[in-house]
Amino acid sequence: MKYAIIDISSSSISLLVAEGEKTFDVLLRERENISILHYMEGKNLSERGVERLGGKVGEKKGERVEKMKEICRKTGVVKCYVISTASMRNFENFEWVAEELKKRAGVNVNLLDGEREAYCDLVSNERYKTLDRAFLVDIGGGSIEICDLTRDGPDALTYLDFGPIQLNGKFVKNIHPDEKEAKEIKKYVKKTLKKTSLPDKGRFATAVLVGATNRAVYDVYLEYCDETEPAGEKLIEYDKLKKLCRHLVRSSDRSMLVLKNAPEKIYTLTTAAVILRAILKHFGVANIVVSDFGVKEGYLALAAGGEAEGELSPLDEIVAPAPAVYAEEKKKGKKSEAASDEKGKNGRKSAALPKEKNGRKSAAF
C-alpha cells in the first residue's frame, strides 16, 4: 500500500510517499518552501497565510497543500496524513486555521505535541541505537527534541519548547546573530539543558542529527568545507562545524552561503547552528551523524501499524465554499470565536501516538 505524509512546518510543506506495510520503500520526497512566519499577525496566522497554504475562498485549486495532494493522486497514494508540529502549536488561532484548511484544501491537520514529535523521531531512527552511547537531536523552528538512545521509556524523551524562531526574537536584532548575541544564545541553551533530567557530560559519545533544520545545516556545512555528499553515512567533523559557526556569525558573505544552500532557512539557520554547537559542547560529543529520517517517517510507521489515531485526509479534489457563503459563515462564526479560542488553548486535538511499550515498532526504510 502507498502512504503519504504531508508535513506543514514553519518554513515549508514537505511530502513523503512510501510503499509497504511493516517496512517501507521511499518512492519520493517533495518540498515547497514557504515561510509562514511572514504571514503572522501577532501570534495568529493571517488570512493571507491560510491562502498561501490552502488557497483562496471559492477557488477549485488550492496552493501548496493542493500541489502535494495532486502528487499523491498521480502516484497512487491510498492513505494520506497531514501533520504539523511546533509551527502550528504556536498559533493562537490554530482551530480556525485547521478548519479553514479543511474547507479550502480538504485536509485534516493532525497536530503533534512535543512528546509525540520526539517519539516519532525515535521510532524512525532506532537503528542508531547500535552506535556508541548515542542520542538524537531535532532542532525544529519552534521546538527541540532530544532522545536518549541508551534508555527506554518516557524518560528517554526530552522536549524543549523553544527553537531558532523564539531565540531570534529574544536575542537577535538582524537576520544573523552577531558574536555577542551568539554568546547569549549559547548561555541560554546551556542553562536550559542544566534544568532538564538529561545526563551530564560524558554520558553520550555520538550525536544523531534529525530533521530539516539539521539537514540544512549539513548542506551548508558541505558547501563551506567544499565537500560532496557521500554515498554512505553522512558525518560532520566537530572542529569543522565550529569553524562554520564562527563564519556564520562573523563573515560578511554568510547570507550568500545560506541562500545558495538552504534559502528557506535564511532567517533561522545561523541561530540553529549556534544552538547545535551549544548542545554538542554541553554533552562533550564530537562524533556526529546526520540522519535522513525524522518525524514523517516515524509517524508513517506508527500510522501504518495502527498505533497512531490520526485522521486521514481524502485525496479527491475539493471546491472551497463560494465567497458569499464563506462570508456568511465567517459572520456567524464571530459569535463563538472566544469559545473556540479557549477550546484551542485547552483542548487541541493531537495525533494520539502510543504509550511506551517493551517492543517498539520501527520502520525499515
Side-chain angles (χ1 to χ4, degrees):
M1 183 181 296
K2 292 182 180 178
Y3 293 85
I5 308 293
I6 299 173
D7 181 13
I8 302 174
S9 74
S10 58
S11 61
S12 68
I13 297 180
S14 57
L15 168 68
L16 168 73
V17 176
E19 185 173 22
E21 291 299 333
K22 294 183 178 180
T23 60
F24 301 89
D25 294 320
V26 175
L27 302 181
L28 65 86
R29 299 178 189 272
E30 192 71 33
R31 182 179 297 274
E32 283 276 335
N33 295 332
I34 174 174
S35 180
I36 57 178
L37 298 178
H38 292 162
Y39 304 99
M40 298 297 292
E41 295 177 350
K43 293 185 178 181
N44 292 329
L45 185 65
S46 68
E47 168 74 19
R48 180 56 178 154
V50 174
E51 284 182 3
R52 295 304 305 276
L53 292 174
K56 293 183 179 180
V57 176
E59 285 189 349
K60 185 176 180 180
K61 293 289 185 180
E63 288 216 12
R64 300 312 200 272
V65 173
E66 177 58 35
K67 288 180 182 179
M68 294 302 180
K69 288 178 65 177
E70 180 62 23
I71 294 172
C72 291
R73 288 191 286 267
K74 289 181 178 179
T75 53
V77 167
V78 177
K79 292 186 177 182
C80 174
Y81 294 90
V82 177
I83 65 173
S84 192
T85 52
S87 60
M88 283 199 178
R89 285 200 303 267
N90 294 329
F91 294 167
E92 288 189 352
N93 64 340
F94 167 76
E95 296 293 338
W96 176 77
V97 172
E99 186 61 31
E100 288 303 305
L101 290 178
K102 187 172 184 177
K103 289 178 182 178
R104 303 177 189 212
V107 296
N108 298 305
V109 181
N110 297 289
L111 188 65
L112 278 63
D113 63 24
E115 291 183 0
R116 290 171 173 83
E117 186 177 357
Y119 186 69
C120 285
D121 279 334
L122 184 59
V123 167
S124 64
N125 287 284
E126 284 198 331
R127 69 189 183 93
Y128 289 108
K129 282 189 170 185
T130 59
L131 298 179
D132 180 27
R133 292 171 291 152
F135 76 99
L136 300 177
V137 57
D138 184 349
I139 301 174
S143 66
I144 299 171
E145 288 73 42
I146 298 176
C147 306
D148 183 349
L149 294 181
T150 69
R151 305 168 69 183
D152 290 313
D155 291 340
L157 309 176
T158 300
Y159 163 72
L160 306 178
D161 63 350
F162 67 86
I165 294 172
Q166 287 85 352
L167 296 195
N168 272 351
K170 189 176 182 67
F171 298 110
V172 183
K173 293 181 180 179
N174 298 308
I175 295 177
H176 306 280
D178 58 27
E179 291 188 67
K180 182 179 179 181
E181 292 166 341
K183 287 180 181 179
E184 291 299 316
I185 291 169
K186 287 186 282 189
K187 283 172 59 178
Y188 183 88
V189 173
K190 182 178 179 180
K191 184 177 179 180
T192 303
L193 289 173
K194 284 184 175 180
K195 293 179 180 179
T196 70
S197 60
L198 289 164
D200 295 329
K201 183 179 292 188
R203 170 69 175 274
F204 297 125
T206 307
V208 181
L209 309 189
V210 178
T213 299
N214 279 330
R215 175 65 201 218
V217 170
Y218 179 66
D219 290 340
V220 172
Y221 168 88
L222 290 178
E223 176 75 16
Y224 176 73
C225 298
D226 194 22
E227 298 178 7
T228 57
E229 186 169 326
E233 203 73 84
K234 301 173 180 63
L235 304 174
I236 289 178
E237 293 184 29
Y238 181 71
D239 287 341
K240 290 182 179 180
L241 179 65
K242 286 171 58 178
K243 291 180 181 178
L244 171 62
C245 286
R246 286 197 293 268
H247 181 83
L248 290 171
V249 169
R250 299 173 180 174
S251 177
S252 60
D253 69 344
R254 53 193 176 178
S255 290
M256 188 57 64
L257 178 63
V258 178
L259 285 171
K260 184 178 179 180
N261 297 280
E264 74 283 3
K265 303 291 186 183
I266 184 63
Y267 294 104
T268 57
L269 188 132
T270 298
T271 299
V274 172
I275 292 171
L276 175 60
R277 186 187 169 191
I279 292 173
L280 296 173
K281 184 177 180 180
H282 176 80
F283 293 121
V285 173
N287 299 320
I288 310 164
V289 180
V290 181
S291 171
D292 287 329
F293 306 130
V295 174
K296 291 191 295 295
E297 289 81 5
Y299 190 89
L300 169 60
L302 295 170
E307 296 185 67
E309 299 174 1
E311 288 187 83
L312 287 164
S313 288
L315 292 173
D316 51 313
E317 295 189 60
I318 184 171
V319 179
V325 175
Y326 171 77
E328 183 64 25
E329 288 181 353
K330 193 171 184 180
K331 183 177 179 181
K332 292 178 181 179
K334 285 184 178 180
K335 296 179 181 180
S336 59
E337 187 175 4
S340 178
D341 286 346
E342 187 64 26
K343 179 181 177 183
K345 293 177 182 178
N346 299 322
R348 289 177 176 171
K349 192 170 184 180
S350 298
L353 297 189
K355 295 180 179 180
E356 297 294 330
K357 298 180 180 180
N358 292 329
R360 294 193 182 107
K361 292 186 178 180
S362 179
F365 288 92

